[in-house]
Amino acid sequence: MFATLLHEIPLQGGDVTDGVVRVGDTVRRPARSSTPAVHALLRHLEAAGFRGAPRVLGFDALGREVLTYLPGATGVSPVSVSDGALADLARLLRGFHDAGEGFPLARGGWDGGSNDDAPPEVIGHCDLTPANVVFADGVPYAMIDFDQARPTTRVFDVVTTLRHWAPIADPVDRHPLLRGVDVGERLRLFCDAYGLRPRERRRLLEVARLRFHRSYEVMKARAAGGGSWATLWDGGAGERIRRASAWLDAHEDRLRAHLV
């Protein structure tokens, strides 16, 4: 058990997790119902030699989980939107999925969320936004915040990542640095670097559409319970999902040409 320390630095960036602080070389986070499952996954990744995730150190005197702090930068920047960074991110996600093989998919305790209809293959991060990817020396080397992790398919986790990094979004909702990018080219680049198989590429846009529909319903239901989800919803999350879905419908043929 770690003692409570006075010098705490609040960490910002996530949308729905409050109370995350840095204490020295550790991160303290409020424990959740999914924490035991997440800790089991992180320990599995450590045993597999995957270096792109925090290590579990236990709990402090306030009952918060204690993880290693991973130094670096998060968020959208000229470095993080480059083609090289996108390819590196795809390889990081592939390494995470490969390292997670053998972890029991039937284990319960995950928070749940939208998902694919196909049988689960891996534990997906399912929330690999720019706020949850850590860069050092221009390279995305680690992922953080596994609160939305759950059993899923590889292509579904690829879709949840490309939603933010391609990005599959209406230009009005994109970061200014991503408004002028060729989304189709970025989809292809990511899939090539990840090594996504042809049959998975053929499903990618179908799964993206499915995710838009289901994530809208999941977020709406969670927002009804108040808290951070309600704040996110009130800030226009539902409208952004609807616009992204409509943008995908309007550009599907052009995007598909880059994939198959």
Side-chain angles (χ1 to χ4, degrees), residues 1-3 26-31 35 39 42-43 46 55-68:
M1 183 75 72
F2 287 77
T26 70
V27 172
R28 314 295 174 98
R29 297 168 49 91
T35 297
H39 283 192
L42 293 178
R43 289 187 174 109
E46 180 178 9
R55 302 304 188 217
V56 178
L57 300 177
F59 295 88
D60 67 12
L62 298 178
R64 300 175 299 186
E65 62 172 328
V66 182
L67 306 170
T68 55

Side-chain angles (χ1 to χ4, degrees), residues 93-94 97 114-126 150-163 168 187 190-191 194-211 256 259:
L93 183 63
R94 177 61 186 261
H97 288 162
S114 59
N115 220 323
D116 197 352
D117 284 333
E121 305 164 323
V122 294
I123 302 297
H125 184 282
C126 297
R150 54 189 178 270
T152 189
T153 61
R154 288 176 179 259
V155 69
F156 187 87
D157 209 18
V158 166
V159 163
T160 67
T161 303
L162 288 171
R163 163 77 172 99
I168 306 175
L187 292 179
F190 189 98
C191 291
Y194 180 95
L196 207 65
R197 294 171 291 184
R199 65 179 181 83
E200 293 169 322
R201 294 179 191 231
R202 288 192 290 271
R203 291 194 67 229
L204 192 143
L205 299 181
E206 167 198 336
V207 172
R209 182 173 290 104
L210 180 71
R211 180 181 181 273
R256 189 176 299 279
L259 292 169

Side-chain angles (χ1 to χ4, degrees), residues 81-83 86 162 164-169 171 174-191 205 247 251-259:
V81 302
S82 70
D83 287 351
L86 186 67
L162 288 171
H164 304 283
W165 290 90
I168 306 175
R174 299 179 197 167
H175 189 282
L177 290 174
L178 288 166
R179 284 184 185 145
V181 299
D182 187 326
V183 175
E185 282 293 329
R186 286 174 69 83
L187 292 179
R188 180 195 56 76
L189 174 63
F190 189 98
C191 291
L205 299 181
W247 183 88
H251 296 86
E252 179 174 4
D253 290 344
R254 182 173 60 83
L255 297 177
R256 189 176 299 279
H258 287 276
L259 292 169

